[in-house]
Amino acid sequence: MRLIFLGAPGAGKGTQAALVSKELNIPSISTGNILREAVRNGTEIGLQAKSYMDAGKLVPDEVIIGIIRERVSQPDCNGGYILDGVPRTIPQAEALERSGIHFDRVISLEVEDEVIEHRMTGRRVCPACGASFHVTANPPTKEGICDVCGAELVIRSDDAVETVRSRLKTFHAETEPLKAFYEKQGVLRLVKGDQDIDLAFAEIMKVIGEA
Ligand code: ADP
Ligand code: ADP
Ligand code: ZN
């Protein structure tokens, strides 16, 4: 099973990808998490990506395509995987096709911009494992501590209101056209992201089950 989770920044891609990953026992691959780790480690890719991420802009396609090709060729991806937040542009989607990679389902999590802006102020993330929480909608068991790995949660610097607005703009301009791209292939399914996390999860499992 190969899946793509598409959606605005903060639509709930990471949250749902973690749940589906556990349910189906396939890895979830987040380019955002991979890039943030590269920035933290000061690698070549990290140095290339940092200024784009800080500005709420997309990292160049060549960088992303390289990361994904390398990641999906690992043995743990043999039984399928979830792409969380990638592809994000038509050229990225085309590059995946050229690599002979096809998808069973593309889940688009639908959330209004106003809801996103409000949501992002409460997001807390784990810098160690990438898990995503929310102070009210999805709080960790112990305040400020990651349920998955025990590290201290942080606020992402690009979750500042101004950067979120710029990320939303980028989303509408560059990522939303992917819906038509995958609609044509008959694999796109829309799921309301503005409902309780467990309800959205149930709906996602239903549309995956029909694949
Ligand atoms: P969110 O889903 O909340 O927008 P991500 O963690 O997926 O956040 O992405 C954070 C940032 O990393 C993006 O704003 C962008 O700069 C960069 N990024 C992540 N994935 C991609 C991608 N597929 N293409 C280009 N840039 C990306
Ligand atoms: P994305 O990966 O799309 O950027 P996240 O999964 O990190 O989004 O979710 C963004 C924020 O919204 C997090 O704080 C998360 O806990 C919260 N969240 C996720 N799904 C929901 C939901 N259905 N209702 C309310 N808040 C949610
Ligand atoms: Zn963690």
Side-chain angles (χ1 to χ4, degrees):
M1 180 73 73
R2 293 201 190 99
L3 305 170
I4 293 172
F5 281 27
L6 204 75
K13 302 180 297 295
T15 301
Q16 295 297 335
L19 295 171
V20 173
S21 164
K22 206 165 162 201
E23 183 76 17
L24 298 182
N25 198 23
I26 52 176
S28 168
I29 300 167
S30 155
T31 37
N33 285 344
I34 293 170
L35 290 168
R36 275 184 291 280
E37 198 185 343
V39 169
R40 255 203 329 278
N41 294 333
T43 66
E44 179 77 27
I45 284 175
L47 294 174
Q48 284 178 48
K50 187 176 187 311
S51 60
Y52 297 99
M53 297 175 79
D54 287 345
K57 299 206 157 37
L58 293 180
V59 171
D61 290 330
E62 315 80 75
V63 177
I64 301 294
I65 292 162
I67 291 175
I68 287 300
R69 284 222 177 101
E70 207 264 329
R71 181 62 188 89
V72 301
S73 66
Q74 312 269 318
D76 67 326
C77 290
N78 287 344
Y81 47 83
I82 302 166
L83 296 188
D84 160 11
V86 67
R88 244 169 161 103
T89 64
I90 299 279
Q92 289 179 20
E94 289 171 344
L96 287 170
E97 293 218 310
R98 279 200 301 277
S99 307
I101 301 176
H102 297 281
F103 295 90
D104 302 291
R105 279 286 176 265
V106 176
I107 312 286
S108 174
L109 283 168
E110 304 280 309
V111 182
E112 300 287 327
D113 287 11
E114 298 75 53
V115 178
I116 297 285
E117 287 192 26
H118 182 249
R119 232 185 227 191
M120 294 305 237
T121 58
R123 170 151 73 177
R124 300 293 180 272
V125 298
C126 175
C129 77
S132 183
F133 300 88
H134 190 277
V135 286
T136 53
N138 186 25
T141 313
K142 190 157 178 267
E143 198 188 323
I145 301 296
C146 177
D147 278 349
V148 181
C149 77
E152 212 164 305
L153 300 178
V154 299
I155 298 177
R156 269 170 54 177
S157 57
D158 62 344
D159 278 351
V161 174
E162 281 315 308
T163 318
V164 168
R165 289 204 182 118
S166 129
R167 287 158 64 201
L168 281 169
K169 223 184 248 174
T170 307
F171 167 73
H172 292 301
E174 299 192 54
T175 306
E176 244 180 350
L178 285 176
K179 283 163 68 175
F181 182 94
Y182 288 115
E183 172 72 54
K184 265 192 221 131
Q185 301 185 358
V187 292
L188 182 77
R189 295 295 181 277
L190 308 187
V191 171
K192 246 173 70 62
D194 187 14
Q195 55 179 328
D196 283 355
I197 290 172
D198 52 341
L199 296 180
F201 173 57
E203 209 177 314
I204 291 169
M205 287 312 298
K206 184 165 173 279
V207 301
I208 291 173
E210 291 155 0

